């Protein structure tokens, strides 16, 4: 059993705890909030025996747990992750793990020095369905793809009312690309490896942060068109074009159905593994890695996390999206 600590009292932390509990490999131990009452409210729905709340980060990190699930706003991940590693905790960091590739490298170096594990919670990368799709494509020649994740944000109301939610703030490293565009990027890394170059253009706020945008992941023999956004809904998520026909996925994350449409119009359904919970595959993979250590696989995850971070940075640069963290 891995004893679990939590930073971030938003909805996603409840979802991760639910998924972690389904794996039966985690035991919720402690939660940190800037306000004790919020931590207590957060824990109200769980069995409270042996559960501790903290509003003091140092005391929380000194308490008895093995692995931290970190879901604070993006720009705070680095300082929270660094403090957690220094306190001897393994790390699960919500996507996007860090604001810049430099922050990621600093954390990877520290994790290695401390013999601790770092995992980026890019949940679609760990979905078993992507492995099935990769296998299906193995004997086909891919000629292009169209990946998009565009969802109207619950924070748009605040933004339109003149407020600045964290997810649209340059101070907190927000924006559509890093929040939702990262899912198409991770799917592309899993299916096709690292692109040779990338670009991105966006509709931007005055602070340079993107509301939506279009980009390309450029591979030697094909391009993936990437679309992302937070100010409207798009329902067509993922198509992969091959010489023999088109593979159509219901989504680029939480992939539950896929079919192949041949050029003659005939159709083949793919059988995809059922998902117990959107986050249970990643929760299980992280626990399995800590329990059974597979160094080759772990290094692949780290390389893909590095690639994702570099791609986000290069795409931001091509669109002129600047975070406060870029100047640190
Ligand atoms: N995997 C997924 O499907 C998924 C979905 C949603 C979000 N996420 C990721 O999860 C992370 C958190 O997202 P979110 O939307 O929950 O963020 P958020 O609401 O802006 O903040 C999350 C938590 O961080 C603390 N916090 C907020 N503002 C803070 C500040 N200024 N200084 C210090 N702490 C602050 C708050 O906890 P306290 O007030 O208790 O301290 C809050 O509950 C992000 O990295 C996001 O990309 C992932």
């Amino acid at each position: 059993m891995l004893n679990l600590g939590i930073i971030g009292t938003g909805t996603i932390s409840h979802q991760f705890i639910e998924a972690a509990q389904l794996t039966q490999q985690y035991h919720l131990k402690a939660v940190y909030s800037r306000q004790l009452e919020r931590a207590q409210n957060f824990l109200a729905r769980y069995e409270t025996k042996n559960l501790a709340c903290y509003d003091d980060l140092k005391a929380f990190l000194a308490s008895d747990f093995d692995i931290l699930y970190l879901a604070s706003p993006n720009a705070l991940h680095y300082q929270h992750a660094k403090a957690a590693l220094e306190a001897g905790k393994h790390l699960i960091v919500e996507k996007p793990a860090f604001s810049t590739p430099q922050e990621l490298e600093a954390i990877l170096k520290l994790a290695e020095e401390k013999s601790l594990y770092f995992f980026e919670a890019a949940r679609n990368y760990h979905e078993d369905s992507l492995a099935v799709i990769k296998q299906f494509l193995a004997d086909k020649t891919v000629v292009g793809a169209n990946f998009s994740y565009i969802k109207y944000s619950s924070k748009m109301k605040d933004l339109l009312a003149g407020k600045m939610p964290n997810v649209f703030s340059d101070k907190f490293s927000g924006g559509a690309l890093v929040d939702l565009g990262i899912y198409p990027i991770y799917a592309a890394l899993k299916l096709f490896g690292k692109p040779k170059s990338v670009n991105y253009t966006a509709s931007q706020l005055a602070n340079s942060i993107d509301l939506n945008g279009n980009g390309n992941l450029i591979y030697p023999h094909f391009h993936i068109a990437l679309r992302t956004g937070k100010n409207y809904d798009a329902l067509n998520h993922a198509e992969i074009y091959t010489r023999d026909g088109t593979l159509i996925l219901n989504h680029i994350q939480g992939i539950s159905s896929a079919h192949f449409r041949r050029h003659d119009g005939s159709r083949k359904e793919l059988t995809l593994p059922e998902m117990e919970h959107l986050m249970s595959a990643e929760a299980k993979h992280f626990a399995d890695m800590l329990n059974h250590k597979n160094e080759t696989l772990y290094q692949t995850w780290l390389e893909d996390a590095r690639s994702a971070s570099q791609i986000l940075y290069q795409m931001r640069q091509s669109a002129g999206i600047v975070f406060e963290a870029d100047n640190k």
Side-chain angles (χ1 to χ4, degrees):
M1 268 298 179
L2 294 165
N3 287 320
L4 180 66
I6 304 282
I7 293 184
T9 52
T11 313
I12 198 63
S13 295
H14 284 303
Q15 288 184 20
F16 184 78
I17 293 167
E18 233 174 70
Q21 289 180 337
L22 282 171
T23 69
Q24 301 188 338
Q25 299 196 71
Y26 297 82
H27 177 68
L28 178 60
K29 210 55 202 285
V31 66
Y32 162 80
S33 169
R34 291 166 298 168
Q35 283 185 19
L36 202 56
E37 198 185 340
R38 230 179 347 247
Q40 284 159 348
N41 288 340
F42 180 87
L43 287 181
R45 67 172 77 172
Y46 305 101
E47 172 63 58
T48 48
K49 213 173 95 192
N50 297 327
L51 270 181
C53 299
Y54 296 88
D55 60 0
D56 178 324
L57 187 64
K58 247 184 153 171
F60 164 74
L61 291 173
S63 72
D64 179 27
F65 66 90
D66 309 304
I67 184 159
L68 173 68
Y69 171 75
L70 177 47
S72 52
N74 301 341
L76 302 180
H77 291 180
Y78 177 72
Q79 68 192 60
H80 284 147
K82 186 166 179 285
L85 288 174
E86 280 162 353
K89 310 300 184 194
H90 299 293
L91 280 177
I92 298 169
V93 184
E94 257 307 336
K95 58 79 210 165
F98 299 106
S99 301
T100 63
Q102 288 77 10
E103 287 186 358
L104 173 66
E105 286 308 325
I107 290 298
L108 293 185
K109 185 167 176 282
L110 185 58
E112 195 178 356
E113 281 165 17
K114 301 267 179 191
S115 301
L116 293 165
Y117 279 75
F118 156 83
F119 306 115
E120 182 168 14
R123 58 189 162 78
N124 66 333
Y125 180 78
H126 290 277
E127 285 179 20
D128 297 326
S129 52
L130 273 184
V132 174
I133 290 160
K134 186 171 178 161
Q135 180 62 34
F136 178 79
L137 292 171
D139 63 353
K140 297 181 179 55
T141 303
V142 172
V143 296
N146 201 334
F147 286 175
S148 80
Y149 193 1
I150 302 169
K151 188 167 185 288
Y152 190 80
S153 167
S154 60
K155 305 289 184 199
M156 276 303 294
K157 205 170 150 204
D158 286 348
L159 185 73
L160 293 172
K163 297 182 191 154
M164 181 44 74
N166 295 345
V167 78
F168 292 115
S169 148
D170 55 334
K171 181 174 175 216
F172 287 104
S173 307
L177 177 68
V178 300
D179 190 49
L180 299 183
I182 193 168
Y183 290 97
I185 290 169
Y186 259 110
L189 287 169
K190 188 72 176 257
L191 294 174
F192 309 118
K194 192 176 179 179
K196 70 181 168 71
S197 63
V198 300
N199 58 48
Y200 187 59
T201 54
S203 298
Q204 290 162 266
L205 297 167
N207 63 6
S208 87
I209 295 304
D210 53 326
L211 274 178
N212 66 65
N214 298 332
N216 289 288
L217 308 180
I218 299 162
Y219 289 83
H221 303 294
F222 61 89
H223 293 186
I224 300 178
L226 181 152
R227 294 166 60 231
T228 189
K230 292 185 72 66
N231 62 339
Y232 65 101
D233 283 317
L235 305 177
N236 183 349
H237 293 288
E239 292 183 338
I240 299 167
Y241 312 112
T242 78
R243 269 193 205 154
D244 307 320
T246 298
L247 181 64
I248 298 150
L249 316 181
N250 70 312
H251 215 305
I252 200 64
Q253 53 79 41
I255 304 165
S256 57
S257 72
H259 69 273
F260 189 63
R261 188 186 177 283
R262 298 183 192 91
H263 295 312
D264 64 7
S266 64
R267 178 181 166 126
K268 175 185 165 56
E269 298 294 330
L270 267 69
T271 307
L272 299 181
E274 277 199 18
M275 248 183 296
E276 208 176 6
H277 186 290
L278 278 178
M279 301 175 91
S280 55
E282 62 177 359
K284 182 174 183 318
H285 287 182
F286 302 152
D288 287 348
M289 183 59 76
L290 283 175
N291 290 327
H292 306 296
K293 314 273 191 298
N294 177 338
E295 194 52 29
T296 308
L297 181 61
Y298 180 59
Q299 289 306 324
T300 304
W301 292 355
L302 293 190
E303 265 323 294
D304 283 339
R306 282 189 167 101
S307 298
S309 181
Q310 286 157 7
I311 290 168
L312 289 175
Y313 185 69
Q314 287 160 8
M315 290 178 92
R316 283 202 296 114
Q317 277 197 316
S318 85
I321 298 165
V322 182
F323 294 160
E324 279 192 14
D326 293 337
N327 302 317
K328 283 188 185 147

